[in-house]
């Protein structure tokens, strides 16, 4: 299976991980990548910084330019690798929906 070659991996910071959701902030230096993976749950990605994601599906690479605050969803089970295609650092928040009906309200919000 093909994947991106990079010297610096993207840096994940798990912000919440419970029975209902896993929320991870991903920080990417220019040219860094997540590595080949797939998600066990559907998920939402919200861009914190505008930039271009290069998404490798094992056969082809697709450039996906996204604005700050823009979001998208994906279903579970799609194998892929994501690289920062911008020439500056970017970041996004990834929200994996393990049990969407079990999400508890946040009393601090």
């Amino acid at each position: 299976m093909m994947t991106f070659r990079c010297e610096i991996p993207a840096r994940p910071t798990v912000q919440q991980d419970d029975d209902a959701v896993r929320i991870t902030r991903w920080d990417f230096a220019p040219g860094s990548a997540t590595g080949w993976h797939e998600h066990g749950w559907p998920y939402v990605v919200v861009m914190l910084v505008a930039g271009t994601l290069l998404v490798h599906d094992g056969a082809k690479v697709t450039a996906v330019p996204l604005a700050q605050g823009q979001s998208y969803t994906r279903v579970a089970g799609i194998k892929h690798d994501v690289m920062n295609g911008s020439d500056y650092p970017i970041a996004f928040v990834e929200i994996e929906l393990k049990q969407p009906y079990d999400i508890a309200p946040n009393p601090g919000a």
Side-chain angles (χ1 to χ4, degrees), residues 42-85:
Y43 61 100
V44 177
V45 169
V46 181
M47 294 298 291
L48 298 176
V49 177
T52 298
L53 300 180
L54 300 177
V55 181
H56 198 316
D57 68 4
K60 68 182 184 314
V61 175
T62 304
V64 183
L66 296 163
Q68 180 180 6
Q70 188 172 359
S71 60
Y72 67 89
T73 62
R74 291 190 70 162
V75 297
I78 299 172
K79 293 181 181 179
H80 61 286
D81 191 0
V82 178
M83 176 181 270
N84 178 4

Side-chain angles (χ1 to χ4, degrees), residues 5-25:
R5 290 185 179 166
C6 72
E7 304 271 328
I8 305 166
R11 192 177 76 241
T13 304
V14 176
Q15 298 178 338
Q16 180 175 333
D17 192 358
D18 57 33
D19 291 341
V21 298
R22 178 185 305 145
I23 302 172
T24 307
R25 177 187 169 125

